[in-house]
Amino acid sequence: MQHRSILFTFLACLLGVASHAQTYSILIKGGTVIDPKNNINQVMDVGIFEGKIKKVAKDIDPKEARQVVDAKGMYVTPGLIDIHGHVFFGTEPNHYLSNGLVAVPPDGFTFRVGVTTIVDAGGAGWDSFSEFKNNVIFNSKTRVLSFLNIVGQGMRGGNWEQDTADMDPTLAAGVAIKNRNDVVGFKVAHFQGKDWKPVDNAVKAGKLANMPVMVDFGGSTPPLPLEELFMKHLRPGDIYTHAYTLLEGNIRETIVDEATQKVKPFAIAARKRGIVFDVGYGGASFNYSQAIPAMKAGFYPNTISTDLHTGSMNGSMKDMLSIMSKFYNMGMDLPAIIKASTWEPAKVIHREQLGHITEGAIADVAVFSMRQGNFGFYDKTGYKVTGKEKLECELTVMGGKIVYDLNGITAPIYLTK
């Protein structure tokens, strides 16, 4: 009888625990959810369980959650997707952005600004991708993807990136197809010759692998014409990065006529054709003299990205939120900015499972506050725009786990080891 009594007590305890089982591991409560894919822009609660978005609703009982995030007065968005960064970091001298000292380790510069996915834009080529995958992709908490450089050695800089013999579309496509989980497309950059071969070979690889191409264009004097690039060489869905740049030395054509301050007609036609215009801010690839007239004309970026590396992050670029705040202060509305930083890049890189807060989706979520104050947003020339607001990351959730909490807005706080 005594054994039976103990058994009944044990079962009762189990039933009691089950009856109070919590429905959500994390509940983000009271924030304004901005989810462009689902056309949501209102105060909602977001419940997360087992790495997925379990429920998005007006009022979810906080007693049903293990942890509750107080997001009142804040914005809740999908985790940001930076489709132009440089995270193939290493220790090799004279390797520039391919296993070199100018690229950065992703986890140190992503979660703190709400980025959960970053695409390395050409650091690795078909010949160096395995090293990038083993060293960086496998060892990062951030979701790291790759635009594979058409140059086999990747972004080594200098003569390495001028070697057209190393730009093999068949080998590049083969590596991309073999690594579809990690490679999202191909990259062309830094070529200084008067030759379309780098672009054309990248597009050939793109056709073979059914993936887009990102082009960092220009280098020759006089520059090859952008209209020809957009209309004759690239395909709809291919990406023109550094869209708002003016480089010295007449080595890259601009999309805005500096004399008339008008967006050139071929750029408008290219957008209608399906060419993707990406910010790719970088250390020298953003000018207000291009961006302001483009914004006034409604020529907004399809995607916002950083071109993150040690030079840009310590210059006028800073990070994703600094760029997003710049566009906000130039008059781009916040839902459009969030779309260009989440759902739109997800579609561009064919990762539609990311970039939204749909029930059942991967729980990559960012919580932002809009900080009030007096702020200065300057470009590489020193031209400064002032503003009263800028975005600040309060919390980042990656795959259903809190990976960054600025001010401890989660209760209770569980510190990860």
Side-chain angles (χ1 to χ4, degrees):
M1 287 295 289
Q2 185 178 9
H3 291 300
R4 184 178 294 180
S5 176
I6 292 171
L7 178 61
F8 283 147
T9 302
F10 178 67
L11 289 172
C13 289
L14 284 178
L15 289 170
V17 169
S19 67
H20 290 91
Q22 289 162 321
T23 307
Y24 309 102
S25 53
I26 302 167
L27 174 61
I28 302 173
K29 190 159 185 65
T32 298
V33 175
I34 302 179
D35 181 7
K37 178 184 186 295
N38 294 302
N39 296 311
I40 298 174
N41 183 10
Q42 59 181 301
V43 175
M44 302 279 277
D45 294 346
V46 178
I48 295 168
F49 185 67
E50 293 185 344
K52 300 291 181 68
I53 303 296
K54 185 168 184 179
K55 190 174 184 180
V56 181
K58 276 287 187 183
D59 192 15
I60 300 174
D61 187 348
K63 293 179 182 178
E64 295 184 39
R66 180 172 179 261
Q67 289 180 288
V68 179
V69 176
D70 181 6
K72 187 176 181 180
M74 301 175 189
Y75 298 100
V76 180
T77 79
L80 303 185
I81 301 172
D82 182 356
I83 65 165
H84 186 158
H86 291 287
V87 293
F88 188 5
F89 73 103
T91 58
E92 295 293 333
N94 301 317
H95 270 235
Y96 190 38
L97 295 167
S98 180
N99 198 31
L101 300 166
V102 182
V104 299
D107 293 349
F109 304 95
T110 50
F111 297 148
R112 62 183 48 247
V113 290
V115 173
T116 52
T117 302
I118 190 165
V119 186
D120 182 82
W126 54 265
D127 192 39
S128 57
F129 179 75
S130 60
E131 188 171 30
F132 175 54
K133 184 171 182 175
N134 291 330
N135 290 359
V136 179
I137 293 176
F138 281 164
N139 291 290
S140 299
K141 292 181 180 179
T142 310
R143 184 180 296 100
V144 177
L145 303 170
S146 173
F147 277 113
L148 200 65
N149 205 312
I150 194 60
V151 178
Q153 288 291 312
M155 208 165 279
R156 288 282 302 271
N159 291 333
W160 292 99
E161 295 184 67
Q162 309 308 311
D163 184 5
T164 56
D166 197 29
M167 302 177 186
D168 191 310
T170 304
L171 290 173
V175 170
I177 291 167
K178 186 179 178 181
N179 295 276
R180 279 195 179 277
N181 287 338
D182 307 302
V183 177
V184 297
F186 302 92
K187 176 77 182 293
V188 178
H190 307 156
F191 186 68
Q192 297 172 1
K194 297 178 181 180
D195 190 344
W196 291 101
K197 186 174 182 179
V199 173
D200 291 343
N201 279 4
V203 170
K204 286 178 184 176
K207 289 177 179 177
L208 289 169
N210 191 28
M211 294 178 182
V213 169
M214 174 182 278
V215 178
D216 170 359
F217 192 64
S220 64
T221 306
L224 293 171
L226 272 185
E227 184 172 10
E228 187 174 347
L229 173 71
F230 295 154
M231 300 304 183
K232 295 183 179 180
H233 294 272
L234 297 184
R235 306 158 296 164
D238 287 337
I239 307 144
Y240 177 64
T241 194
H242 307 317
Y244 303 102
T245 187
L246 171 64
L247 294 180
E248 295 180 2
N250 189 32
I251 59 173
R252 180 185 295 160
E253 189 178 359
T254 59
I255 63 168
V256 171
D257 187 313
E258 289 273 317
T260 65
Q261 293 288 280
K262 301 291 185 183
V263 177
K264 295 175 181 177
F266 69 75
I268 297 170
R271 165 158 285 172
K272 290 178 180 177
R273 182 171 178 256
I275 300 300
V276 176
F277 288 83
D278 175 56
V279 173
Y281 192 112
S285 297
F286 176 89
N287 293 69
Y288 274 124
S289 65
Q290 287 287 302
I292 290 174
M295 294 306 101
K296 288 180 178 177
F299 198 90
Y300 298 139
N302 295 95
T303 55
I304 292 173
S305 67
T306 59
D307 186 12
L308 175 69
H309 51 74
T310 58
S312 64
M313 60 176 267
N314 292 317
S316 71
M317 188 279 288
K318 307 294 189 298
D319 53 43
M320 274 289 283
L321 293 186
S322 177
I323 301 168
M324 292 163 70
S325 297
K326 279 185 165 106
F327 279 92
Y328 183 73
N329 281 278
M330 283 190 287
M332 191 173 175
D333 68 67
L334 189 57
I337 290 167
I338 298 302
K339 183 179 182 181
S341 308
T342 57
W343 178 230
E344 202 60 37
K347 291 189 294 181
V348 167
I349 62 173
H350 301 168
R351 290 296 189 273
E352 288 86 353
Q353 71 271 31
L354 305 175
H356 52 94
I357 310 178
T358 306
E359 291 180 4
I362 296 168
D364 287 0
V365 183
V367 179
F368 303 114
S369 58
M370 188 66 82
R371 188 173 174 182
Q372 308 294 312
N374 296 309
F375 307 112
F377 305 99
Y378 58 92
D379 69 6
K380 68 182 184 186
T381 70
Y383 185 92
K384 186 170 79 170
V385 172
T386 59
K388 298 291 186 182
E389 296 177 302
K390 74 174 181 179
L391 289 162
E392 184 168 76
C393 181
E394 293 285 348
L395 180 125
T396 305
V397 176
M398 169 82 186
K401 295 181 180 179
I402 294 171
V403 291
Y404 180 78
D405 186 345
L406 179 63
N407 290 302
I409 60 174
T410 306
I413 297 172
Y414 298 113
L415 298 179
T416 56
K417 294 180 181 180

